[in-house]
């Protein structure tokens, strides 16, 4: 699933992994035409996002990851 998310991003598509459909799984199965003996665990809606879909702002790795113990900055 992670590779699908990355590929979507490369093509300008938005996606996410969701399990919200499980609350109404019977209806989802009916819409998708899934047999009764098939279970779903996660769905990935994929589409073109509305509005701005630009570059991501990320913090340096040393600010969000630690090496060997908490608080020891990742070498970089």
């Amino acid at each position: 699933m992670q590779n699908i998310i990355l590929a979507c991003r490369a093509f300008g598509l938005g996606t996410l992994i969701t399990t919200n459909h499980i609350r109404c799984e019977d209806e989802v199965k009916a819409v998708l035409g899934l047999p009764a003996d098939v279970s779903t665990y996660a769905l990935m809606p994929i589409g073109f996002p509305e509005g701005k879909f630009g570059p991501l702002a990320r913090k340096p790795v040393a600010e969000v990851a630690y090496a060997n113990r908490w608080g020891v900055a990742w070498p970089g």
Side-chain angles (χ1 to χ4, degrees):
M1 293 184 104
Q2 179 183 3
N3 288 341
I4 293 170
I5 292 170
L6 292 173
C8 285
R9 177 76 185 179
F11 286 108
L13 296 165
T15 188
L16 57 83
I17 301 167
T18 181
T19 58
N20 284 336
H21 72 286
I22 292 173
R23 295 177 294 161
C24 53
E25 188 173 17
D26 291 337
E27 291 89 343
V28 171
K29 284 180 169 184
V31 168
L32 297 177
L34 297 176
D37 63 337
V38 171
S39 296
T40 62
Y41 297 98
L43 294 178
M44 288 183 64
I46 298 173
F48 290 99
E50 292 183 7
K52 187 177 181 224
F53 189 67
L56 300 174
R58 297 187 181 183
K59 293 181 180 181
V61 172
E63 290 183 26
V64 297
Y66 300 120
N68 298 321
R69 64 180 350 159
W70 188 265
V72 178
W74 190 267

